[in-house]
Amino acid sequence: MTKAPLPSRLPLTGRFHVDDTCIDCQLCRDLAPENFESDPDTETHYVLKQPENEDELDQVLDAYESCPSDSIHYLRISTEE
């Protein structure tokens, strides 16, 4: 039985995530460089880390509101326990 390769990025638990409709425009990374990273294998971006302070939250919310493909999703109730 052949094992499927692991994805090059794993979902990060928290309020924000990027779906597979990302067009790799890099706007999220420009607006919140501490929180988003590019996956060269899929040519998409993902949440590198959830916002940890008000400045990061403001930057990530700006990226969320500015995303041209609406690929960033914001869960108003955190999935963190």
Side-chain angles (χ1 to χ4, degrees):
M1 182 167 147
T2 305
K3 286 187 174 182
L6 290 174
S8 56
R9 62 184 172 90
L10 298 174
L12 183 64
T13 302
R15 292 180 182 245
F16 295 92
H17 75 276
V18 180
D19 68 24
D20 61 0
T21 63
C22 175
I23 59 172
D24 198 28
C25 73
Q26 300 193 30
L27 184 60
C28 60
R29 192 167 173 200
D30 290 343
L31 295 172
E34 297 296 318
N35 302 92
F36 293 95
E37 185 61 61
S38 177
D39 182 342
D41 295 334
T42 61
E43 296 182 346
T44 60
H45 280 71
Y46 62 95
V47 177
L48 177 64
K49 75 176 183 103
Q50 296 293 329
E52 295 177 348
N53 57 52
E54 287 297 317
D55 287 337
E56 286 184 4
L57 179 59
D58 288 344
Q59 292 173 357
V60 172
L61 284 172
D62 191 21
Y64 162 74
E65 293 168 355
S66 301
C67 181
S69 58
D70 293 325
S71 300
I72 301 171
H73 298 275
Y74 175 35
L75 303 173
R76 304 244 190 267
I77 299 174
S78 177
T79 58
E80 298 173 1
E81 293 187 34

